[in-house]
Amino acid sequence: MEYYAKSPVKILSAANEKESGEVQKQERTEHKTLREHLEETVRCAEKFFEQYGSYFSGKEKKLIMDACRMHDIGKANYVFQTRVNPALEKTKQEQIPHGFLSALLLSKKDFLKENPQCTEADFDVLLTAVYYHHTRPDVYDEAMVKAYCEQFYVNHVREYLQNDAVTVFTSNKKYLLFSDQEKNAYVRPKEKVWCQYMLVKGMLNKFDWTVSAGDEEAETAPDLVEKKLCKSIEAKWEGQFRPVQKFMLENKDNNVVIAAPTGSGKTEAALLWIHGEKGFYTLPLKVSSNAIYQRIRDKYQYGDVALLHSDSLNSYLKEAEELESGYRNYEKAKRFSSPLTVCTVDQLFRFVYKALGTEIFAATLKYSKIVIDEIQSYEPRVVAALIFGLSEIRRMGGRFAIITATFPPVLQYFMERSGLLAERDFVWHDFSKEAETVRHRLKLVKGDFDIEEIARMAEEKKVLVICNTVSKAQQIYEKIKAEGAAPGLLHSRFIRAHREILERNIMDFSADETKTGVWVTTQIVEASLDIDFDILYTEMCTADSLLQRMGRCNRAGKKDTSAPNIIVYHNGSGRGTVYDKDIYDRSVNLLWEKDGEMLSEADKTAYINAVYDVNRIKKTEYFRQIEKNLEHLDALWPAEYDMENARKDFRGIQSITVMPEKIYRENLEEIEEIQELFRTPHTARGIRKLQKARLAELTLSLNPRYGLPGSIDKENVQPFDIHRTRLEYDFDGETGLGLRLDKMEDEEIFL
């Protein structure tokens, strides 16, 4: 009989017109044989190794290729074939996952005999990679497996392989590195062995998913030879690189940690360090990722860069001429197919939780270079995940660069505890001491913002106001507006579509040298947003955030500093809620020494080093959280987390998605069309995702940490996890307050 890899596909597909967003009933069918699928997977791996083979040892390539050849042979069992072949009579017998069955064909004795360069641990790695190449619950004992194989598998796999001597080794389960059901029956694998498993399993998933998506090559448009992005940067800078850029080029073959002031060209330095190899550029915030992505595409005309974060599908839909091509580009980004990907760290570092399905992240980083931008801006849990992840990447052979305005000594302390030593594992250099330009003069004030002064300054300067909470930003915005000014406001409680408009507006305002005025924001503008203001008014925060905020003012150092251009208000806002109270207190106490003074880059380094002095903060919650999370990650068992829990734990955000009632009613017709689409059978998953992404543009996220208002509906907008809210929402197309937590809409406007 013919053996198939999957069912024939019958789906609805999207209309070609992007503007219409319609779905037309167009059937598409495909019925791929098992042999075709396995051959395509092997060819995909072979093509990959033609390009990236030098990053892998001979044994690593051997294990990966064996996994590709073997991974789906378990589909040659009768129960599976009845599910994918309409010509066969269905059976009520429950399937045993085909990955489990594929692994039973591996003979440990034959493997070691045929591969003298391999060890028993290598066999265990290969076996486990094939066994768990799909995430399926393992609830089958040896007797159940043996009975299933005798009835539904052995004869069929012999027919498929045309070999009557094929043996099924039902006892292979005892050689697995771990079991998601029988943890106590196994010894926790050593980290070196676990890393090898992540490599083999992750690369298998990469090739399998590539061909399943209809593509032939796992990597698109490699820049290894031409180095187009590097050449474009060199042309733009006319070869006149700054010290940090020269340093990164000279150390392109090393792991690097550098501290360099804002405006010193760190972004280009990092891209030059990647030097055409496969790279990932990570940033703390989605808005920062969007800005760097557009900068690479527009300024350096490099179109082979991908964008990946929780909202990036919308970016692909807007760029693409057709919905389907936008979705395909997004799916490729999720498979890390591009030579350069700009992303948030949660898209990559979930592998530290040892969750099944995350291995592809670590495997891809094995032959890549990863840039961590502004590592000090992350909260302790994420810092721990990054440090632990970098130690794994180094162990696997990948390379990393940490580029930051400041590198607190506490981070180097924890890197050393995780086995990452300066000069042995990475090159370290601090450029702040070499910076000659002094850009900031500080004034520290007890109390709250001087609204009249801000409004007055906005008449002739570009003024930036940064608040520690959204509610405070809304209050200050209204007070400045009452003074007759026309401020802009940017924070996280705008729906996504409106927030994108505001992000673009603040960058355009900053770039226009003829403009004066004021923008009120929260800390979402701190990292890598390309804005430059004349004067900054900010609430006091921790030292790392404060220095990031300073970087949004006088970036080039060409503006007048005879009077203070950094005015910091110490009013306790965010202390103990937004920011660690001990670090906040150390930050403000040490800052008083600088009141009224010019702050050189060396002064800033000395300041943050004093705040984060290891011996003085060991008893703080900040320090204990990093320590605790590193210990937690180090002690984890494989499969202790699943993908979803790993995602939630990494981000640490307990949020709900809401849609303001005003937005819901304005877009009711479109929402109902999308709901109807989701009730239509056989609609392709891609089309569902496209429409869901459109709906997401009308929503925002709220953190229920401090309790949610009673005006949040408990019932969802079906079938989505979106809650309607009667809280007032204000946006006029250019500006507005966004969602207010203190006021509900007037119900009469909905009658």
Side-chain angles (χ1 to χ4, degrees):
M1 60 180 277
E2 186 66 82
Y3 292 88
Y4 291 97
K6 60 182 180 179
S7 302
V9 182
K10 293 183 179 180
I11 60 174
L12 302 182
S13 57
N16 288 331
E17 296 300 323
K18 177 182 176 182
E19 292 77 12
S20 69
E22 295 176 356
V23 174
Q24 59 188 14
K25 291 187 177 181
Q26 181 183 45
E27 287 194 351
R28 186 172 66 195
T29 63
E30 180 183 19
H31 207 190
K32 186 162 291 185
T33 68
L34 176 56
R35 198 172 305 280
E36 288 171 336
H37 173 70
L38 288 172
E39 289 174 351
E40 289 174 356
T41 306
V42 170
R43 281 199 301 271
C44 183
E46 289 172 341
K47 289 181 180 180
F48 170 84
F49 285 128
E50 289 174 5
Q51 298 168 331
Y52 290 93
S54 62
Y55 293 81
F56 299 79
S57 70
K59 184 167 70 174
E60 289 169 341
K61 287 186 277 190
K62 164 69 178 173
L63 293 172
I64 293 167
M65 293 301 298
D66 281 355
C68 290
R69 294 186 183 97
M70 293 294 301
H71 73 286
D72 270 0
I73 292 181
K75 289 181 176 180
N77 77 85
Y78 186 77
V79 179
F80 179 88
Q81 290 301 312
T82 64
R83 305 296 196 271
V84 299
N85 187 349
L88 297 179
E89 184 178 349
K90 296 288 187 293
T91 173
K92 294 182 179 180
Q93 172 67 41
E94 179 188 351
Q95 291 186 64
I96 289 182
H98 67 266
F100 298 176
L101 299 176
S102 298
L104 300 183
L105 297 181
L106 289 166
S107 165
K108 187 169 190 176
K109 180 180 178 181
D110 291 345
F111 174 84
L112 294 175
K113 182 179 178 180
E114 295 167 4
N115 301 284
Q117 79 277 25
C118 293
T119 65
E120 290 187 5
D122 295 325
F123 176 81
D124 299 346
V125 163
L126 174 60
L127 177 77
T128 311
V130 173
Y131 196 87
Y132 283 118
H133 79 270
H134 290 300
T135 304
R136 303 286 187 267
D138 185 3
V139 295
Y140 311 97
D141 60 31
E142 188 173 334
M144 295 168 62
V145 173
K146 186 175 181 180
Y148 184 96
C149 289
E150 289 175 351
Q151 186 174 358
F152 301 109
Y153 186 38
V154 176
N155 290 334
H156 289 282
V157 76
R158 286 173 177 171
E159 179 185 353
Y160 171 75
L161 294 173
Q162 299 178 0
N163 183 354
D164 290 338
V166 168
T167 301
V168 175
F169 298 92
T170 56
S171 62
N172 268 0
K173 187 172 179 179
K174 66 184 178 183
Y175 300 124
L176 293 171
L177 293 175
F178 62 91
S179 169
D180 64 348
Q181 293 294 320
E182 302 177 49
K183 174 178 172 180
N184 294 332
Y186 292 82
V187 176
R188 194 163 73 97
K190 294 180 180 179
E191 211 60 36
K192 181 179 180 181
V193 175
W194 175 254
C195 287
Q196 189 177 26
Y197 157 76
M198 287 197 295
L199 174 62
V200 177
K201 198 283 183 99
M203 295 308 298
L204 168 59
N205 284 153
K206 189 177 186 74
F207 302 138
D208 187 15
W209 297 346
T210 296
V211 299
S212 294
D215 295 320
E216 295 181 358
E217 298 192 30
E219 297 290 340
T220 60
D223 200 21
L224 290 164
V225 177
E226 292 187 50
K227 304 189 187 301
K228 292 183 288 186
L229 179 55
C230 285
K231 290 178 181 177
S232 180
I233 294 172
E234 186 172 358
K236 282 285 183 181
W237 289 69
E238 298 180 343
Q240 301 300 309
F241 292 139
R242 296 175 182 173
V244 64
Q245 295 160 349
K246 292 178 181 177
F247 178 86
M248 292 294 277
L249 259 179
E250 291 167 358
N251 287 279
K252 64 182 182 297
D253 296 325
N254 298 318
N255 296 325
V256 179
V257 179
I258 62 165
T262 300
S264 60
K266 292 196 301 294
T267 300
E268 285 75 12
L271 297 174
L272 291 168
W273 172 80
I274 292 173
H275 206 244
E277 297 182 70
K278 187 171 182 67
F280 292 88
Y281 195 114
T282 70
L283 298 118
L285 300 172
K286 289 180 286 188
V287 59
S288 311
S289 301
N290 292 339
I292 295 295
Y293 170 73
Q294 288 299 333
R295 182 171 168 183
I296 292 170
R297 286 174 61 89
D298 298 341
K299 184 174 181 179
Y300 297 113
Q301 297 296 298
Y302 187 69
D304 294 322
V305 59
L307 178 68
L308 192 59
H309 54 62
S310 58
D311 293 337
S312 57
L313 175 55
N314 285 311
S315 299
Y316 285 103
L317 298 183
K318 291 170 184 174
E319 290 174 1
E321 295 182 2
E322 296 180 353
L323 289 174
E324 188 171 351
S325 63
Y327 177 70
R328 282 183 61 81
N329 289 337
Y330 170 68
E331 287 294 306
K332 285 184 177 181
K334 286 174 61 180
R335 296 197 304 271
F336 310 129
S337 297
S338 298
L340 176 63
T341 300
V342 179
C343 59
T344 49
V345 293
D346 61 297
Q347 299 294 321
L348 286 175
F349 277 82
R350 279 173 282 165
F351 70 86
V352 300
Y353 291 97
K354 292 182 168 62
L356 301 186
T358 63
E359 298 92 344
I360 188 174
F361 308 148
T364 303
L365 292 174
K366 183 312 194 260
Y367 61 96
S368 305
K369 289 179 169 180
I370 183 167
V371 176
I372 310 293
D373 196 343
E374 305 299 352
I375 189 172
Q376 83 290 342
S377 64
Y378 294 101
E379 60 182 310
R381 183 188 58 262
V382 178
V383 168
L386 292 177
I387 291 174
F388 187 87
L390 291 177
S391 70
E392 296 283 82
I393 292 167
R394 194 259 312 165
R395 187 177 283 110
M396 295 179 72
R399 280 168 288 173
F400 65 83
I402 296 174
I403 60 171
T404 177
T406 59
F407 190 66
V410 67
L411 298 185
Q412 185 162 344
Y413 168 83
F414 280 114
M415 288 180 71
E416 290 176 356
R417 280 186 52 169
S418 298
L420 294 170
L421 304 180
E423 305 312 321
R424 188 194 74 178
D425 300 308
F426 62 87
V427 178
W428 154 250
H429 194 85
D430 183 358
F431 285 90
S432 65
K433 299 175 182 178
E434 304 166 20
E436 298 178 356
T437 303
V438 181
R439 301 175 295 156
H440 302 129
R441 184 183 293 277
L442 176 74
K443 180 180 179 182
L444 185 55
V445 180
K446 280 188 176 180
D448 215 342
F449 293 106
D450 185 333
I451 302 301
E452 291 183 1
E453 178 182 323
I454 291 172
R456 186 172 64 253
M457 286 293 183
E459 294 176 0
E460 55 188 49
K461 294 179 180 292
K462 283 184 169 67
V463 177
L464 180 63
V465 178
I466 302 182
C467 303
N468 291 342
T469 66
V470 173
S471 296
K472 184 61 173 289
Q474 290 172 326
Q475 294 170 16
I476 298 302
Y477 167 83
E478 289 194 296
K479 288 180 179 180
I480 295 173
K481 198 173 180 181
E483 289 291 322
L489 178 63
L490 173 61
H491 55 66
S492 61
R493 289 210 295 260
F494 288 96
I495 65 170
R496 295 178 186 181
H498 296 163
R499 182 168 161 178
E500 186 175 317
I501 293 170
L502 293 167
E503 289 166 0
R504 185 168 59 248
N505 287 349
I506 191 173
M507 288 190 286
D508 290 345
F509 172 83
S510 170
D512 190 339
E513 295 182 359
T514 67
K515 291 282 184 70
T516 60
V518 56
W519 273 82
V520 181
T521 70
T522 57
Q523 55 266 51
I524 62 173
V525 302
E526 285 180 9
S528 299
L529 196 62
D530 192 13
I531 56 175
D532 186 10
F533 283 68
D534 300 322
I535 186 168
L536 168 68
Y537 293 86
T538 177
E539 290 187 296
M540 184 64 204
C541 50
T542 53
D544 52 295
S545 289
L546 181 60
L547 296 186
Q548 286 288 103
R549 294 179 185 190
M550 290 184 187
R552 308 305 109 194
C553 175
N554 195 18
R555 288 168 68 90
K558 297 179 180 180
K559 297 173 181 178
D560 180 32
T561 55
S562 58
N565 59 354
I566 306 292
I567 296 88
V568 181
Y569 291 91
H570 170 36
N571 54 22
S573 172
R575 178 184 179 272
T577 53
V578 180
Y579 300 104
D580 180 276
K581 61 182 180 61
D582 295 315
I583 302 299
Y584 179 100
D585 290 344
R586 287 187 58 76
S587 298
V588 70
N589 292 338
L590 289 165
L591 194 64
W592 281 112
E593 301 172 8
K594 303 295 182 182
D595 184 29
E597 297 183 5
M598 292 290 291
L599 280 179
S600 68
E601 300 306 318
D603 290 333
K604 295 173 186 176
T605 297
Y607 169 58
I608 202 161
N609 287 350
V611 170
Y612 286 96
D613 181 278
V614 174
N615 293 324
R616 293 183 177 274
I617 67 169
K618 280 189 174 180
K619 294 183 179 180
T620 65
E621 185 63 19
Y622 173 85
F623 186 95
R624 286 195 293 265
Q625 282 296 316
I626 298 178
E627 189 172 49
K628 177 183 175 183
N629 280 280
L630 278 171
E631 291 171 352
H632 172 64
L633 294 172
D634 192 50
L636 280 177
W637 274 75
E640 197 167 323
Y641 277 76
D642 61 24
M643 278 275 281
E644 181 61 19
N645 287 331
R647 183 187 67 83
K648 290 180 178 178
D649 203 56
F650 189 96
R651 298 181 69 195
I653 299 174
Q654 301 296 323
S655 64
I656 66 167
T657 302
V658 302
M659 183 183 294
E661 187 71 16
K662 177 181 179 181
I663 300 298
Y664 177 81
R665 292 180 177 272
E666 288 175 352
N667 297 274
L668 183 57
E669 184 176 345
E670 180 181 0
I671 292 169
E672 289 178 341
E673 288 176 358
I674 294 173
Q675 289 175 315
E676 179 61 29
L677 173 68
F678 271 73
R679 289 190 288 267
T680 304
H682 305 303
T683 305
R685 184 179 65 169
I687 303 304
R688 289 173 180 264
K689 282 192 174 183
L690 296 174
Q691 301 303 324
K692 193 173 180 179
R694 286 185 165 186
L695 197 60
E697 287 278 273
L698 308 177
T699 69
L700 58 96
S701 295
L702 283 183
N703 189 337
R705 181 178 176 186
Y706 307 109
L708 289 170
S711 56
I712 304 290
D713 287 352
K714 294 181 181 179
E715 297 296 325
N716 295 345
V717 176
Q718 294 297 328
F720 311 102
D721 191 18
I722 298 173
H723 301 262
R724 290 160 63 180
T725 175
R726 291 178 291 111
L727 291 170
E728 184 177 288
Y729 184 82
D730 175 44
F731 186 74
D732 63 8
E734 291 293 329
T735 188
L737 285 166
L739 189 73
R740 298 185 58 171
L741 299 187
D742 60 346
K743 187 177 180 182
M744 289 194 292
E745 294 278 12
D746 184 349
E747 293 188 12
E748 291 184 3
I749 68 173
F750 301 128
L751 296 179

